[in-house]
Amino acid sequence: MYKDFIKQQSLAELYAIVSLCIFVVFFCIMLVIAFMQSKTATVEASLIPLDTNDDYNTKIQSSNV
Amino acid sequence: MEMKNTLMRSSDSGTGSGAGLSNLGGSPPLEKFFYDNKIVRDFGIASVSWGIISLLVGVLIAVQLFMPEANLGLPFTTFGRLRALHTNGAIFAFVGNLMFMGVYYSLQRLCKTRMYSDKLSRIHFWGWQLIIASAVLTLPFGFTTSKEYAELEWPIDIMIALIWVVFAINFFGTLLTRRTKHLYVAIWFYVATIVTVAVLHIVNSMEIPVSFLKSYSMYAGVQDALVQWWYGHNAVAFFLTTPFLGLMYYFLPKAANRPVFSYRLSIIHFWSLIFLYIWAGPHHLLYTALPDWAQSLGTTFSIMLIAPSWGGMINGLLTLRGAWDQVRTNPVLKFMVVSITCYGMATFEGPMHSLKFVNALSHYTDWIPAHVHIGTLGWNGFMSFAILYWLIPRIYNTKLHSTKLANLHFWIGTLGMVFWTVSMYISGIMQGLMLQDFTADGILKYGNFLETTTQVLPMYMLRALGGLLYLSGMVIMAYNLFKTVKSGVLIANEADEAPARTKDYSEEKHLTGYLRHRIIERKPMLLLVVAALTILIGGIVEFIPVFTIQSNIPTIASVKPYTPLELEGRNIYMREGCYNCHSQMIRPFRSETERYGEYSKAGEFVYDHPFLWGSKRTGPDLQRIGGKYPNAWHYRHMFNPRLTSPGSIMPNYKWLSTNDLDISDTRASITAMRRLGVPYPAGYEDRALEDLKQQAVAISDNLKKDNIKVADTKEIVALIAYLQRMGTDIKGNKTDNK
C-alpha cells in the first residue's frame, strides 16, 4: 500500500498539504509550550548572559565599544 | 599546565572576598575558577587569518570570470579548482573558527565553568587548523569529491569526524560539569549544531576509497543529489545559521546590555527552525529528475521556514529596543544590526527562490550566489566582525585601538557587499530572462549561450570590486585588532566565582508551568536526544522512499556503465571542477530543450558516482554535449576556448594536452564501481586497460584527420571520450518503467 501511494505522481500536491499540516501542528505545540512558561521564569532565563562578574565596562569607561 | 576547572573553594581559602559576603545569610559557598581565554584568542586569530586568505582567493577567482588569464596559466590557480578552496575556506576556516571562538567564550560564561578539558580544546584547535591546511594542500591540486562544500577527500573527512567528536566531548563535558542549572537558549543552538553537523557530515561523506586521495560517493545520480543537497542546504542551516543564532542570543544582549526581547519567542524560534530546516534541501533540485513529491516537500517547508527565521530576526532586532541611540556610535551594534537584517533578507529570499516559478528563472544564474553572499558576507561576516570587535578588547583588558577604523571597516564592508550583491542580482536576472527569451518566430533569441555571458561581464567586474572592498575592510580590521592586542595583555585565565550546581529545584516549583520546557533546558543529554530526533524526522521521510522504491528512479535499458577511458575522463572533469560552471541537468522547459536537447531523466544517472548535475551555469549545460561537436572541436576548445568560441571566459586547459593520463588507479576504479553496484562483468578490471587503450587510439587517430597530433596517452583524449559520451545513452530510447 505504501509503495502504491508513492507511485502516484499526482500525490505530489498531497505531500505539500501534508507537510503544511505537519508544520502547523508542530508550530502550535511549540506555541503552547512557550506560553505555558511562567513570566518570571522567562525573564530570569533571558537575564542569564547579563548575569556576570565581568567588570570590563566599569574598567574601560572611556571605550566606545 | 592544565588549568583545573575548580581551583579552590574560596570560602575554604579565606582569600575570596566574594565568598565571605555570600556566606552571610547562608548562601552556598562560592567556588573560584578561571575561564580559558587563550583558546578563544587562538580561534580568533585563526578566523581572521584564514578569512583574509579565503577572501583573497575569492577575489582572484572573481577576476578570472572576466579575465580568464588571471589564472596565470597554471592548473592549481584556475577557477574550477580554487572555487572549492574559497567556499571551504570561507565556511569552515573563517566562519568555522569564529564560531568556535564564540562558542568557547560564551559557553564557559553561560556554564560558569572552564572548558571541560584544556587538552581537548588544544586538540580541537590544532586538528581543525590541520584540516584546513589539508584543504589548502589538496583542493588546488585537484583532489576533490566534487560534492559542493564537501569536496575534501576521504582521509580528511575522517579527520573532520574525529575532531568534531573531540569538540563534542569537550562541549558536553563542559555542560555536565557546569555550575549553572539552566541552559541558556544560545546553548540549545550549539547543541543542535553539534548533533546535526555530525549527522550531515557522516551521511554525505559515505564513499568508497580508490586510492589515498581518491574516492567515489556511495550514492549514485538522483540519490546522491538528494543526499548532497540535503547536506548542502543544512550545512548552511547548521554550520552558518544555528551556531550564529546562538552567538547572536549571547553577544547581542551583551553588546546592547539588554536581555533578549522575548525568551518565549526564542523557544518557538529554536524548535521550529531545527525541525523545518532539515526538510528543505530538495528546493535545490526543483525541475530536476528528483521525484515531484520530494520537490513539493522541499518547496513547502522552505516557504514555512520564513516563520521561525523571521521570528529569530525580530527577536534580535527588538532586543535593541531602547538602545537604538547606541547604534549610531557603537560599531559593534552597527555590524550586528546589518548582520541581522541580512539574515532576514536572505531567509526571505531563500523561500522565494523555492517557489517553482521563481526558481525557474533564478536557478543556475548569478542570482543564487548573490543570495548566498547576502548570507555569508552580511549575516556571518558582519556578525563575526561585531563579535571580534567586542571580544578581543575584553580578553586583552584594553579598549579597541580605533573606533574610527572600525567605523571605516563597517562602511567599506557594507559598500563592498552592496557592489557584490547588486551586480549579481542584475546579472542573474538578466541571464535568466535572456536564456528563456524567444523571438516572435519561436526561435531562441540568444541561441548562443555566450551571447548572454558577454552581456553580464561589466557586472562581473563590479562583483570583483565589491569583493576587493570587503577584503580591504577585513585587512583594516586585522590591523585594528593587532594594535588593540599590542596595547593590552591577554588575560589567559580569567577569574570568576559561582556556587556549585545543586540538583535541588524546589525553589522553582512556585513558577506555574515552569517545568515543562525547563526540564529540557537543564538536561543537556535530553536536549541532545530530542534535538537529534527533531532533525532526523525530515531526512528519514525524504530518503527512505527515494532509496527503496524503484519507481522513483525509472531504469533505462540503454543506459550502460562508462568505459574505462570515459571513467578516467570523468575523473579529470571532476578534478578540474568543470561542474562549478557547467550543469548536467536539462530542465523540462522549452527554452532548455531547444537549447540543449532532451530533458534529463532520473534513470540516466544510475551509474554516476558521484552525480555531477552542478548548481550554476557560467557556461552552458553539458548533459547532451556528446556527439554535438567533432573531437577536434573539443580539442581546440579545451586548448583555448576562444579558438572555437570568441569571447569565451573559460580558461585554457593546455595542460590536458601535455599531461599523461594516470591509469594506475583504473583497475581499482572499476572494482570500486562494481562494489557500488555498477554492472561491470566479473574480472573486467583485467581487460579494462586494453579497452582503454583501444578507445584512446581511436580518438587519437580521429584527431589526426583534423591535423591534430596528440598521443593517445594524454589526458585530453580521456576527457574527449567522456564529453562525447555524455547524454548519448538515451537518444532514440524510451524509459523502461519495469
Side-chain angles (χ1 to χ4, degrees), chain B residues 351-426:
Chain B
M352 293 303 105
H353 280 166
S354 303
L355 295 170
K356 278 193 150 185
F357 70 95
V358 180
N359 191 275
L361 178 79
S362 66
H363 196 50
Y364 296 126
T365 72
D366 288 319
W367 195 345
I368 303 303
H371 163 63
V372 172
H373 281 76
I374 284 282
T376 48
L377 299 178
W379 164 237
N380 296 117
F382 272 35
M383 185 60 76
S384 301
F385 305 147
I387 294 171
L388 284 163
Y389 281 127
W390 185 87
L391 189 151
I392 296 295
R394 276 169 173 75
I395 63 173
Y396 277 86
N397 199 27
T398 183
K399 63 175 186 174
L400 186 67
H401 168 68
S402 168
T403 304
K404 276 186 184 172
L405 281 180
N407 280 322
L408 176 66
H409 175 198
F410 171 78
W411 287 112
I412 208 168
T414 304
L415 196 62
M417 195 160 50
V418 169
F419 270 114
W420 208 110
T421 53
V422 171
S423 61
M424 286 302 97
Y425 281 130
I426 294 169

Side-chain angles (χ1 to χ4, degrees), chain A residues 19 23 37 41 44 53 56, chain B residues 264 276 301 398 496 514 518:
Chain A
S19 57
F23 171 68
Q37 301 297 297
E44 180 193 274
N53 297 334
Y56 175 83
Chain B
R264 283 189 177 127
L276 286 179
F301 274 98
T398 183
D496 200 356
Y514 191 54
R518 188 73 163 191

Side-chain angles (χ1 to χ4, degrees), chain A residues 2-4 6-9 11-24 26-27 30-57 59-60 62-65, chain B residues 110 112 182 184 249-250 253-254 257-260 263-264 267-268 271-272 275-276 279 292-293 296-297 300-301 304 307 330-332 389-390 393-394 397-400 403 496-497 511-514 516-518 521 534 544-545 549 551-552:
Chain A
Y2 175 57
K3 289 186 178 181
D4 291 339
I6 302 287
K7 276 178 185 172
Q8 297 174 48
Q9 289 210 342
L11 289 178
E13 293 82 4
L14 189 62
Y15 265 82
I17 294 166
V18 169
S19 57
L20 179 66
C21 293
I22 293 170
F23 171 68
V24 170
F26 188 88
F27 196 75
M30 291 321 302
L31 272 178
V32 170
I33 291 174
F35 282 94
M36 288 288 282
Q37 301 297 297
S38 78
K39 177 91 177 166
T40 319
T42 54
V43 168
E44 180 193 274
S46 65
L47 289 169
I48 289 176
L50 305 175
D51 174 25
T52 174
N53 297 334
D54 178 13
D55 57 354
Y56 175 83
N57 286 327
K59 275 185 184 172
I60 315 291
S62 57
S63 171
N64 284 326
V65 181
Chain B
L110 288 170
K112 295 283 180 198
H182 186 91
Y184 180 63
Y249 274 116
Y250 179 79
K254 294 290 280 184
N257 201 27
R258 272 164 176 70
V260 64
Y263 203 75
R264 283 189 177 127
I267 294 174
I268 302 168
W271 289 107
S272 304
F275 177 73
L276 286 179
W279 297 72
D292 276 352
W293 61 265
S296 289
L297 279 182
T300 319
F301 274 98
M304 291 184 297
N330 187 337
V332 171
Y389 281 127
W390 185 87
R394 276 169 173 75
N397 199 27
T398 183
K399 63 175 186 174
L400 186 67
T403 304
D496 200 356
E497 291 178 326
L511 301 168
T512 311
Y514 191 54
R516 285 178 175 79
H517 195 262
R518 188 73 163 191
E521 291 177 22
T534 307
I544 289 179
I549 298 174
S551 62
N552 277 314

Side-chain angles (χ1 to χ4, degrees), chain B residues 330-343:
Chain B
N330 187 337
V332 171
L333 291 181
K334 276 182 197 173
F335 276 112
M336 282 184 172
V337 166
V338 173
S339 167
I340 297 167
T341 308
C342 285
Y343 174 64

Side-chain angles (χ1 to χ4, degrees), chain B residues 553-574:
Chain B
I553 305 167
T555 53
I556 302 172
S558 58
V559 173
K560 304 291 181 203
Y562 295 107
T563 67
L565 188 65
E566 290 160 3
L567 199 58
E568 291 294 355
R570 197 168 194 267
N571 288 341
I572 294 167
Y573 186 97
M574 288 159 62

